[in-house]
Amino acid sequence: MGGSRSRRRDVCTGAALVAALALPASTGAAYAVQAPPGILATAPAPPSPSSDDGAFRTLTPQVRAQVDAAVQRILREAGIPGVIMSLSAPGKGSYERAYGVADKATGAPMETGFNTRIGSETKTFTVTAMLELVDRGALKLDDPIAKYVDGVPNGGKITLRDLADMRSGLFNYTEDDAFLKALQDAPRRPMTPQQLLDYSFKHPVNFQPDAQFEYCNTNLILLGLVVEKAGGQPLADFLRENVTGPAGLADTFLPTGAEFPLPHAQGYTDQGGGPREVNATDWNPSWAWAAGAMISTVRDLRSWARTMATGTLLEPRTQAQRLQPRSKFDANIAYGMGVFLTNGWIGHNGSLPGYESVTVYLPEAQATLVLALNTDNVSDGQEPSTLLAQAITSIVSPQHVYTVPATPATPPKPKPSPSS
């Protein structure tokens, strides 16, 4: 998408596994369960089957060459500066590579060890923290949000389960015009969780709890506050001590401000409010907080894909509930608690100005796919991370092509001013 086009997208994509799994960006940020006709038509045709297809093909030199060619083609066609990719499966091999540039000005190449902003993949961490507290008996999934946070519209009816399942009916704060203006006027200014909720709560609810699915970042801000109250410490600390620490993710954390450790790529976006692409590397992600502000590395995310999808940190019963979706888009795509299930893959995508990511796990083959991009610019109505994930999985897992229903992640792009 160019600067001359308008676009409304959910913050943090959350946008990226099916978040984002995200419907094509052109469909808008909010969507109902019954809304996604034609989603599967966006997936590329799989290659001709071979004797090694199965659930996940062996990463031979020939398969790697096919992946390389597909990635490089999409980088050219979609104008993606760079991407880091990791593929792995027991008995099938592993392949990690960086493509393209990390800095357009200097031409410095992408490198596999870079830190990256992961957008709505943050949701998988926040929901895991909440579910750990369920396992401890500190809260219940059917508790109303009013028990923990005051002033929530329909707060006595909306449960924690509704929030995690994206079935609350609350207005998505990243769709509020005043929020968008504040972010675009001062993208480096910090925002508090209460400020974010204020943008949401001035709007009436969109529907009654559990009436339908609608991807909404407000839900995760509330769950972040629930974790803080029930866990007795700031969310960043709780995640470090109870989620990323036990999972062995040394380079994954929720920043408390705009900090972004080196090394990292420069992030490019056309969501700056003007007609030109801008560098969003140093924008403050506090506006995304528990919905999309975390930082990680591809290697950490590769580990997290399995941990999250198999429920290592949770009781088996709790993990089973997490992966039992109340929202299904079709026979192959659904949303559980803070996680997408898409054509056999389990995980999430992420998107915020300048960066996108995908982290998914295929239980059938114990395979992982991780992508980290340094742009969120949409190409022909598709998130760039979706284009790459579809192309790669059409090669390595042709029976399980990554497919998404909409774009829930970065802040929507406003209409440009007349002067632009």
Side-chain angles (χ1 to χ4, degrees), residues 190-367:
M191 294 188 187
T192 67
Q194 187 58 55
Q195 286 176 311
L196 304 177
L197 294 180
D198 289 344
Y199 287 118
S200 171
F201 294 171
K202 69 183 182 182
H203 296 271
V205 297
N206 293 333
F207 51 85
Q208 291 303 303
D210 198 28
Q212 67 182 53
F213 173 94
E214 188 172 69
Y215 193 95
C216 176
N217 294 294
T218 305
N219 296 342
L220 270 292
I221 302 304
L222 288 168
L223 288 180
L225 293 174
V226 169
V227 170
E228 290 195 330
K229 186 164 187 178
Q233 60 187 140
L235 179 61
D237 295 340
F238 189 92
L239 289 172
R240 182 181 64 253
E241 295 177 17
N242 298 277
V243 182
T244 61
L249 310 180
D251 297 314
T252 302
F253 68 100
L254 178 68
T256 57
E259 64 267 27
F260 191 3
L262 292 170
H264 60 248
Q266 300 298 298
Y268 302 94
T269 186
D270 57 10
Q271 294 199 65
R276 297 181 180 84
E277 180 182 78
V278 296
N279 188 319
T281 307
D282 298 325
W283 289 9
N284 192 321
S286 59
W287 58 265
W289 195 50
M294 289 183 74
I295 290 168
S296 188
T297 64
V298 165
R299 290 174 187 175
D300 268 12
L301 293 174
R302 172 177 164 177
S303 176
W304 177 244
R306 180 182 179 89
T307 296
M308 187 275 297
T310 61
T312 302
L313 300 179
L314 302 174
E315 295 294 332
R317 179 178 178 275
T318 304
Q319 177 70 0
Q321 290 187 76
R322 179 177 201 169
L323 299 183
Q324 182 61 47
R326 287 195 288 168
S327 302
K328 296 182 179 180
F329 304 98
D330 62 24
N332 298 312
I333 303 175
Y335 197 85
M337 293 188 200
V339 63
F340 278 100
L341 302 95
T342 173
N343 287 346
W345 294 94
I346 299 172
H348 218 288
N349 61 349
S351 176
L352 76 173
Y355 300 91
E356 287 201 346
S357 61
V358 174
T359 296
V360 287
Y361 180 79
L362 184 64
E364 184 175 341
Q366 300 179 50

Side-chain angles (χ1 to χ4, degrees), residues 125-193:
F125 292 91
T126 301
V127 172
T128 297
M130 184 267 289
L131 294 175
E132 285 187 346
L133 289 166
V134 170
D135 284 341
R136 298 176 191 178
L139 51 81
K140 297 179 181 178
L141 284 171
D142 293 322
D143 284 344
I145 184 59
K147 182 176 179 179
Y148 304 95
V149 181
D150 294 331
V152 181
N154 263 355
K157 299 179 181 179
I158 297 170
T159 67
L160 304 187
R161 189 191 304 270
D162 292 330
L163 295 169
D165 280 341
M166 300 292 182
R167 301 182 69 87
S168 71
L170 292 170
F171 183 87
N172 188 356
Y173 71 91
T174 58
E175 291 287 297
D176 179 79
D177 290 337
F179 163 79
L180 295 172
K181 186 177 187 305
L183 181 61
Q184 289 153 2
D185 287 349
R188 294 173 177 81
R189 181 173 57 196
M191 294 188 187
T192 67

